[in-house]
Structure formats: C-alpha cells, structure tokens
Amino acid sequence: MTYVVTDNCIACKYTDCVEVCPVDCFYEGENMLVIHPDECIDCGVCEPECPADAIRPDTEPDMEKWVEFNRKYSEAWPVIITRKDPLPEAEDRDGETGKLEKYFSETPGQGG
C-alpha cells in the first residue's frame, strides 16, 4: 500500500503534510504536491494533516490512475520537506470539482 495525492490538492497546495513525513517522499509542482509511491512507507501520518483531504490510500477504489500520476510527477519535480504557505486561492478552490482539467500545471515547484 501507498498514499497518493489526488486532484483536490491542485490550486490549494497545502504543505502541512510534508513536515510530518518521516521519509521525505513529497514532491512539489507549481500548484500541487505528489507522493513518490515507491518511497512512501505507508505510515499514514500525512493523511490527517491535509486540510483539503487530498491524500488517500491506494487501496480505495479508482486510485490506480493517481498512483501513476504521483509516480510520473514525483520523478520530475523537486522534493519538498519544509512547510510553505498554501496558494492564495486555496480556500476558494478547496473541494472544487474538475480541478485536474481546469488548473493542473506540469511545471515543477521550487522544492525545499
């Protein structure tokens, strides 16, 4: 099992999760985070830390696409281990549907 970040992170990018991760398996894009599925140790401490409820276990239905999505971008984006402020529109975008199609950016974040 692994945990993955889903589309509710897009345009929010809360980073509370990165501070509690014991293995530093979060990677930062311009407007979201992902988890490297091969580095995640399945401890689950990140899941309750996410204000947007964007972190899910891969054992939930229809998570295969998110495992591959997280794998792809964790191999392209820089690691993030330090909490940062969420995006300015985070509160307004939290829970919005269709965020992958509307807002997702493949651009790497700053990392750090």
Side-chain angles (χ1 to χ4, degrees), residues 1-4 56-64 67:
M1 188 177 89
T2 187
Y3 284 83
V4 292
R56 313 298 321 151
D58 71 344
T59 53
E60 289 188 0
D62 302 318
M63 286 294 127
E64 297 84 12
V67 172

PDB file of all heavy atoms in Angstrom, residues 1-4 56-64 67:
ATOM      1  N   MET A   1       0.838  -1.189   0.000  1.00  0.00           N
ATOM      2  CA  MET A   1       0.000   0.000   0.000  1.00  0.00           C
ATOM      3  C   MET A   1       0.879   1.246   0.000  1.00  0.00           C
ATOM      4  O   MET A   1       1.989   1.237   0.482  1.00  0.00           O
ATOM      5  CB  MET A   1      -0.904   0.001   1.235  1.00  0.00           C
ATOM      6  CG  MET A   1      -1.940   1.103   1.204  1.00  0.00           C
ATOM      7  SD  MET A   1      -3.069   1.071   2.592  1.00  0.00           S
ATOM      8  CE  MET A   1      -2.183   2.091   3.754  1.00  0.00           C
ATOM      9  N   THR A   2       0.335   2.309  -0.564  1.00  0.00           N
ATOM     10  CA  THR A   2       0.983   3.619  -0.531  1.00  0.00           C
ATOM     11  C   THR A   2      -0.101   4.680  -0.433  1.00  0.00           C
ATOM     12  O   THR A   2      -1.272   4.400  -0.643  1.00  0.00           O
ATOM     13  CB  THR A   2       1.848   3.833  -1.801  1.00  0.00           C
ATOM     14  OG1 THR A   2       2.591   5.039  -1.649  1.00  0.00           O
ATOM     15  CG2 THR A   2       1.015   3.904  -3.052  1.00  0.00           C
ATOM     16  N   TYR A   3       0.305   5.868  -0.111  1.00  0.00           N
ATOM     17  CA  TYR A   3      -0.609   7.001  -0.118  1.00  0.00           C
ATOM     18  C   TYR A   3      -0.313   7.828  -1.354  1.00  0.00           C
ATOM     19  O   TYR A   3       0.822   7.873  -1.834  1.00  0.00           O
ATOM     20  CB  TYR A   3      -0.451   7.838   1.149  1.00  0.00           C
ATOM     21  CG  TYR A   3      -1.103   7.173   2.332  1.00  0.00           C
ATOM     22  CD1 TYR A   3      -0.437   6.191   3.049  1.00  0.00           C
ATOM     23  CD2 TYR A   3      -2.406   7.473   2.690  1.00  0.00           C
ATOM     24  CE1 TYR A   3      -1.041   5.541   4.108  1.00  0.00           C
ATOM     25  CE2 TYR A   3      -3.027   6.830   3.750  1.00  0.00           C
ATOM     26  CZ  TYR A   3      -2.338   5.867   4.453  1.00  0.00           C
ATOM     27  OH  TYR A   3      -2.955   5.225   5.492  1.00  0.00           O
ATOM     28  N   VAL A   4      -1.334   8.483  -1.893  1.00  0.00           N
ATOM     29  CA  VAL A   4      -1.178   9.319  -3.072  1.00  0.00           C
ATOM     30  C   VAL A   4      -1.923  10.630  -2.862  1.00  0.00           C
ATOM     31  O   VAL A   4      -2.860  10.712  -2.078  1.00  0.00           O
ATOM     32  CB  VAL A   4      -1.697   8.623  -4.352  1.00  0.00           C
ATOM     33  CG1 VAL A   4      -0.826   7.439  -4.708  1.00  0.00           C
ATOM     34  CG2 VAL A   4      -3.145   8.199  -4.224  1.00  0.00           C
ATOM     35  N   ARG A  56      -4.951  10.154  -0.106  1.00  0.00           N
ATOM     36  CA  ARG A  56      -5.770   8.949   0.018  1.00  0.00           C
ATOM     37  C   ARG A  56      -4.883   7.705  -0.066  1.00  0.00           C
ATOM     38  O   ARG A  56      -3.869   7.717  -0.772  1.00  0.00           O
ATOM     39  CB  ARG A  56      -6.815   8.866  -1.097  1.00  0.00           C
ATOM     40  CG  ARG A  56      -7.609  10.105  -1.385  1.00  0.00           C
ATOM     41  CD  ARG A  56      -8.494  10.669  -0.308  1.00  0.00           C
ATOM     42  NE  ARG A  56      -9.196   9.705   0.481  1.00  0.00           N
ATOM     43  CZ  ARG A  56      -9.549   9.917   1.748  1.00  0.00           C
ATOM     44  NH1 ARG A  56      -9.247  11.035   2.348  1.00  0.00           N
ATOM     45  NH2 ARG A  56     -10.202   9.001   2.409  1.00  0.00           N
ATOM     46  N   PRO A  57      -5.290   6.616   0.581  1.00  0.00           N
ATOM     47  CA  PRO A  57      -4.562   5.353   0.414  1.00  0.00           C
ATOM     48  C   PRO A  57      -4.886   4.764  -0.969  1.00  0.00           C
ATOM     49  O   PRO A  57      -5.994   4.929  -1.477  1.00  0.00           O
ATOM     50  CB  PRO A  57      -5.111   4.468   1.530  1.00  0.00           C
ATOM     51  CG  PRO A  57      -6.446   5.044   1.870  1.00  0.00           C
ATOM     52  CD  PRO A  57      -6.378   6.506   1.558  1.00  0.00           C
ATOM     53  N   ASP A  58      -3.924   4.067  -1.540  1.00  0.00           N
ATOM     54  CA  ASP A  58      -4.147   3.497  -2.866  1.00  0.00           C
ATOM     55  C   ASP A  58      -5.098   2.315  -2.863  1.00  0.00           C
ATOM     56  O   ASP A  58      -5.442   1.789  -3.912  1.00  0.00           O
ATOM     57  CB  ASP A  58      -2.826   3.120  -3.532  1.00  0.00           C
ATOM     58  CG  ASP A  58      -2.148   1.913  -2.902  1.00  0.00           C
ATOM     59  OD1 ASP A  58      -2.503   1.525  -1.774  1.00  0.00           O
ATOM     60  OD2 ASP A  58      -1.227   1.362  -3.540  1.00  0.00           O
ATOM     61  N   THR A  59      -5.537   1.910  -1.698  1.00  0.00           N
ATOM     62  CA  THR A  59      -6.476   0.793  -1.594  1.00  0.00           C
ATOM     63  C   THR A  59      -7.926   1.224  -1.845  1.00  0.00           C
ATOM     64  O   THR A  59      -8.800   0.381  -1.976  1.00  0.00           O
ATOM     65  CB  THR A  59      -6.377   0.140  -0.198  1.00  0.00           C
ATOM     66  OG1 THR A  59      -6.541   1.148   0.801  1.00  0.00           O
ATOM     67  CG2 THR A  59      -5.034  -0.554  -0.022  1.00  0.00           C
ATOM     68  N   GLU A  60      -8.183   2.518  -1.923  1.00  0.00           N
ATOM     69  CA  GLU A  60      -9.532   2.993  -2.228  1.00  0.00           C
ATOM     70  C   GLU A  60      -9.827   2.753  -3.713  1.00  0.00           C
ATOM     71  O   GLU A  60      -8.899   2.652  -4.530  1.00  0.00           O
ATOM     72  CB  GLU A  60      -9.660   4.484  -1.897  1.00  0.00           C
ATOM     73  CG  GLU A  60      -9.670   4.748  -0.407  1.00  0.00           C
ATOM     74  CD  GLU A  60      -9.984   6.195  -0.069  1.00  0.00           C
ATOM     75  OE1 GLU A  60     -10.193   7.018  -0.978  1.00  0.00           O
ATOM     76  OE2 GLU A  60     -10.009   6.490   1.134  1.00  0.00           O
ATOM     77  N   PRO A  61     -11.099   2.689  -4.085  1.00  0.00           N
ATOM     78  CA  PRO A  61     -11.451   2.457  -5.496  1.00  0.00           C
ATOM     79  C   PRO A  61     -10.913   3.551  -6.423  1.00  0.00           C
ATOM     80  O   PRO A  61     -10.852   4.723  -6.055  1.00  0.00           O
ATOM     81  CB  PRO A  61     -12.982   2.479  -5.485  1.00  0.00           C
ATOM     82  CG  PRO A  61     -13.368   2.212  -4.071  1.00  0.00           C
ATOM     83  CD  PRO A  61     -12.265   2.753  -3.219  1.00  0.00           C
ATOM     84  N   ASP A  62     -10.521   3.142  -7.619  1.00  0.00           N
ATOM     85  CA  ASP A  62     -10.086   4.047  -8.685  1.00  0.00           C
ATOM     86  C   ASP A  62      -8.831   4.862  -8.357  1.00  0.00           C
ATOM     87  O   ASP A  62      -8.663   5.977  -8.838  1.00  0.00           O
ATOM     88  CB  ASP A  62     -11.233   4.993  -9.086  1.00  0.00           C
ATOM     89  CG  ASP A  62     -12.464   4.234  -9.547  1.00  0.00           C
ATOM     90  OD1 ASP A  62     -12.302   3.244 -10.292  1.00  0.00           O
ATOM     91  OD2 ASP A  62     -13.581   4.629  -9.157  1.00  0.00           O
ATOM     92  N   MET A  63      -7.965   4.325  -7.553  1.00  0.00           N
ATOM     93  CA  MET A  63      -6.736   5.041  -7.196  1.00  0.00           C
ATOM     94  C   MET A  63      -5.561   4.708  -8.112  1.00  0.00           C
ATOM     95  O   MET A  63      -4.537   5.378  -8.058  1.00  0.00           O
ATOM     96  CB  MET A  63      -6.343   4.760  -5.740  1.00  0.00           C
ATOM     97  CG  MET A  63      -7.190   5.458  -4.721  1.00  0.00           C
ATOM     98  SD  MET A  63      -6.980   7.255  -4.793  1.00  0.00           S
ATOM     99  CE  MET A  63      -8.656   7.770  -4.934  1.00  0.00           C
ATOM    100  N   GLU A  64      -5.697   3.704  -8.991  1.00  0.00           N
ATOM    101  CA  GLU A  64      -4.587   3.310  -9.856  1.00  0.00           C
ATOM    102  C   GLU A  64      -4.071   4.487 -10.673  1.00  0.00           C
ATOM    103  O   GLU A  64      -2.860   4.678 -10.818  1.00  0.00           O
ATOM    104  CB  GLU A  64      -4.995   2.164 -10.795  1.00  0.00           C
ATOM    105  CG  GLU A  64      -5.375   0.877 -10.099  1.00  0.00           C
ATOM    106  CD  GLU A  64      -6.844   0.848  -9.627  1.00  0.00           C
ATOM    107  OE1 GLU A  64      -7.651   1.732 -10.019  1.00  0.00           O
ATOM    108  OE2 GLU A  64      -7.181  -0.059  -8.852  1.00  0.00           O
ATOM    109  N   VAL A  67      -1.928   6.700  -8.521  1.00  0.00           N
ATOM    110  CA  VAL A  67      -0.604   6.126  -8.230  1.00  0.00           C
ATOM    111  C   VAL A  67       0.339   6.454  -9.384  1.00  0.00           C
ATOM    112  O   VAL A  67       1.457   6.936  -9.173  1.00  0.00           O
ATOM    113  CB  VAL A  67      -0.677   4.602  -7.990  1.00  0.00           C
ATOM    114  CG1 VAL A  67       0.723   4.001  -7.893  1.00  0.00           C
ATOM    115  CG2 VAL A  67      -1.474   4.292  -6.728  1.00  0.00           C
TER     116      VAL A  67
END
